[in-house]
């Protein structure tokens, strides 16, 4: 019996291809869940995320990207093999084209010659099987189901042209489902990013979280209240670069809240810089959307600055998977924000939690 409660993922792909076996979905989720973040993170290639952006994007965060990979592989396997792990070579091809290195194998109908795309694919096969010859590849892609899922997920990050059902816009791209993506998200999580503490090893910020939330929620106009902090932030921001608060004031506001709560960060004026300091220097853990709680810090920042879209804020109360009460520079009291960006805000990429 599956440990996952599938609904949308069990809907028929098309009239020709029905609903996937639960066992296939279980293997898909368990394998994708265990892979490192770099398999799903942005890269500089035109990859499967580029192809699917119009139907399943834009991608809000890493959790979204992992779920999209699950959905793509669910539908690719339908069109390629009807989810048959043991599917063999396409017998419709001319016999003159039957070469071992080009022989399709397994549920996703991948061939050995795809391994030349990137060295990480050979490493993937070596990790699972201990060798990377053509016979091992053909056999293992049928028998080792976790290998098949991981190999195809990695291959799709470098190239999609090998997959005819992805190239054909009437097939995979026309049958993926946003509802299935949302359901896959509920089964997945994001691997915490390991903090780099070699220069400044710190911890125990969690002991200050109650003070952090109390200060941010204080409606009074006295020292260490939100209004007092915003007044101080406005003065610092004006001196720093001439901006008139609240414009570009989220990072310095949160910096002062952290300082007043006993968490020793410097005055920081860029949301991406504060995000990186909390994550890499102060060892705050990465928490996926939907798992946030009071005291977590939400960030919309990616890997490079994106002026006008970068934002950082403090959660003071969780209302649900999406709705929260938060504190930032935009109002002088706690107010509602949605992790999804509902209401015209930038979607939150992930949350940070003190450890």
């Amino acid at each position: 019996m599956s440990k996952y409660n599938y609904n949308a993922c069990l809907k028929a792909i098309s009239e020709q291809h029905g609903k996937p076996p639960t066992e296939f979905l279980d293997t898909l989720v368990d394998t994708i869940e265990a892979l490192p973040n770099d398999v799903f993170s942005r890269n500089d290639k035109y990859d499967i995320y580029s192809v699917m952006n119009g139907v399943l994007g834009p991608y809000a965060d890493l959790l979204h990207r992992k779920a999209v990979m699950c959905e793509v592989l669910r539908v690719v396997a339908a069109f390629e093999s009807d989810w048959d792990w043991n599917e063999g070579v396409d017998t419709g091809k001319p016999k003159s084209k039957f070469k071992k290195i080009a022989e399709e194998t397994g549920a996703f109908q991948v061939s050995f010659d795809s391994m030349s795309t990137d060295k990480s694919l050979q490493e993937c096969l070596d990790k699972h099987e201990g060798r990377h010859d053509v016979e091992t590849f053909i056999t293992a892609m049928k028998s080792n189901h976790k290998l098949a899922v991981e190999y195809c997920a990695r291959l799709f990050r470098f190239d999609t042209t090998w997959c005819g059902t992805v190239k054909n816009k009437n097939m995979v791209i026309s049958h993926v489902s946003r509802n299935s993506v949302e359901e896959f998200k509920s089964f997945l999580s994001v691997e915490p990013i390991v903090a780099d503490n070699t220069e400044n090893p710190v911890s125990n910020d969690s002991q200050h979280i109650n003070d952090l939330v109390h200060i941010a929620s204080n409606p009074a106009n006295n020292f260490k209240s939100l209004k007092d902090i915003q007044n101080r932030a406005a003065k610092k921001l004006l001196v720093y670069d001439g901006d008139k608060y609240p414009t570009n004031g989220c990072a310095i506001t949160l910096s002062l809240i952290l300082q007043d709560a006993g968490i020793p960060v410097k005055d920081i004026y860029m949301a991406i810089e504060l995000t990186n300091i909390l994550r890499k220097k102060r060892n705050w853990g990465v928490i996926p959307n939907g798992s946030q709680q009071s005291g977590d810090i939400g960030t919309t920042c990616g890997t490079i600055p994106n002026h006008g879209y970068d934002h950082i804020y403090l959660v003071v109360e969780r209302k649900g998977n999406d709705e929260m009460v938060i504190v930032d520079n935009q109002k002088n009291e706690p107010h509602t924000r949605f992790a999804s960006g509902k209401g015209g805000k930038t979607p939150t990429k992930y949350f940070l939690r003190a450890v």
Side-chain angles (χ1 to χ4, degrees):
M1 183 175 179
S2 176
K3 60 184 176 182
Y4 304 111
N5 184 21
Y6 300 113
N7 184 13
C9 294
L10 283 175
K11 296 290 177 64
I13 301 295
S14 66
E15 290 185 4
Q16 182 181 1
H17 304 285
K19 64 180 185 179
T22 300
E23 295 80 7
F24 183 93
L25 296 176
D26 287 348
T27 300
L28 191 58
V29 172
D30 289 342
T31 304
I32 292 297
E33 170 69 357
L35 295 181
N37 291 339
D38 65 281
V39 178
F40 315 100
S41 302
R42 289 188 61 180
N43 62 27
D44 59 356
K45 297 178 172 28
Y46 190 83
D47 65 353
I48 194 64
Y49 291 113
S50 306
V51 172
M52 294 292 164
N53 189 52
V55 290
L56 297 178
Y59 310 114
D61 50 31
L62 196 60
L63 182 64
H64 188 180
R65 293 171 71 89
K66 289 180 76 169
V68 165
M69 183 65 77
C70 283
E71 175 61 2
V72 167
L73 295 179
R74 180 183 80 102
V75 179
V76 165
F79 281 96
E80 294 290 349
S81 69
D82 278 323
W83 305 284
D84 183 358
W85 295 111
N86 296 311
E87 185 77 1
V89 65
D90 181 2
T91 56
K93 291 174 60 175
K95 289 186 178 181
S96 61
K97 293 185 180 292
F98 283 169
K99 297 180 180 179
K100 278 290 184 182
I101 62 169
E103 181 176 317
E104 299 95 346
T105 182
F108 305 104
Q109 290 291 276
V110 186
S111 56
F112 177 81
D113 53 9
S114 65
M115 200 177 301
S116 62
T117 305
D118 188 81
K119 68 176 183 178
S120 63
L121 299 172
Q122 176 182 310
E123 293 169 353
C124 177
L125 184 57
D126 284 338
K127 178 183 72 174
H128 283 273
E129 296 294 324
R131 54 191 182 277
H132 55 265
D133 58 278
V134 63
E135 294 293 346
T136 297
F137 179 89
I138 292 172
T139 301
M141 288 294 284
K142 296 177 181 178
S143 61
N144 188 334
H145 303 163
K146 289 189 174 182
L147 163 66
V149 172
E150 178 178 351
Y151 188 93
C152 290
R154 290 183 178 277
L155 178 58
F156 269 135
R157 298 310 315 282
F158 299 103
D159 179 43
T160 63
T161 59
W162 61 273
C163 186
T165 58
V166 168
K167 288 194 294 184
N168 186 334
K169 295 187 182 301
N170 293 319
M171 301 179 84
V172 174
I173 198 169
S174 295
H175 291 82
V176 289
S177 162
R178 286 185 180 271
N179 289 337
S180 295
V181 170
E182 288 302 310
E183 188 166 276
F184 276 127
K185 283 171 65 176
S186 70
F187 307 137
L188 298 166
S189 62
V190 177
E191 173 197 357
I193 300 171
V194 178
D196 177 9
N197 295 315
T198 55
E199 296 181 5
N200 183 26
V202 293
S203 188
N204 298 323
D205 283 352
S206 60
Q207 65 183 320
H208 301 291
I209 295 304
N210 287 340
D211 288 338
L212 187 70
V213 174
H214 174 73
I215 290 169
S217 305
N218 185 357
N221 192 17
N222 53 20
F223 182 61
K224 287 192 176 182
S225 68
L226 178 58
K227 291 180 181 178
D228 169 65
I229 289 169
Q230 290 181 332
N231 288 336
R232 284 185 278 145
K235 293 175 182 177
K236 287 177 177 285
L237 186 64
L238 188 63
V239 172
Y240 177 71
D241 64 2
D243 277 334
K244 187 175 180 180
Y245 197 86
T247 302
N248 298 327
C250 62
I252 184 59
T253 300
L254 187 51
S255 296
L256 296 181
I257 297 175
L258 290 163
Q259 292 169 17
D260 285 359
I263 298 173
V265 298
K266 63 182 181 179
D267 289 352
I268 300 169
Y269 295 88
M270 292 181 64
I272 190 172
E273 182 183 357
L274 183 53
T275 296
N276 289 334
I277 284 176
L278 292 174
R279 180 168 62 83
K280 296 180 180 180
K281 301 299 182 183
R282 302 208 62 82
N283 201 27
W284 287 45
V286 174
I287 307 299
N289 290 8
S291 299
Q292 68 273 18
Q293 65 185 29
S294 175
D296 290 349
I297 288 175
T299 179
T300 69
C301 300
T303 57
I304 59 174
N306 191 359
H307 185 70
Y309 295 91
D310 287 351
H311 190 64
I312 192 165
Y313 61 86
L314 172 69
V315 180
V316 296
E317 183 182 354
R318 172 193 169 103
K319 292 286 191 179
N321 289 345
D322 193 26
E323 184 179 2
M324 307 160 286
V325 177
I326 66 105
V327 161
D328 57 12
N329 60 311
Q330 296 180 357
K331 291 187 179 181
N332 59 11
E333 61 185 7
H335 56 278
T336 298
R337 187 180 178 104
F338 296 88
S340 64
K342 178 181 176 181
K345 302 294 185 182
T346 307
T348 301
K349 290 192 179 296
Y350 55 86
F351 291 85
L352 295 166
R353 181 173 299 166
V355 296

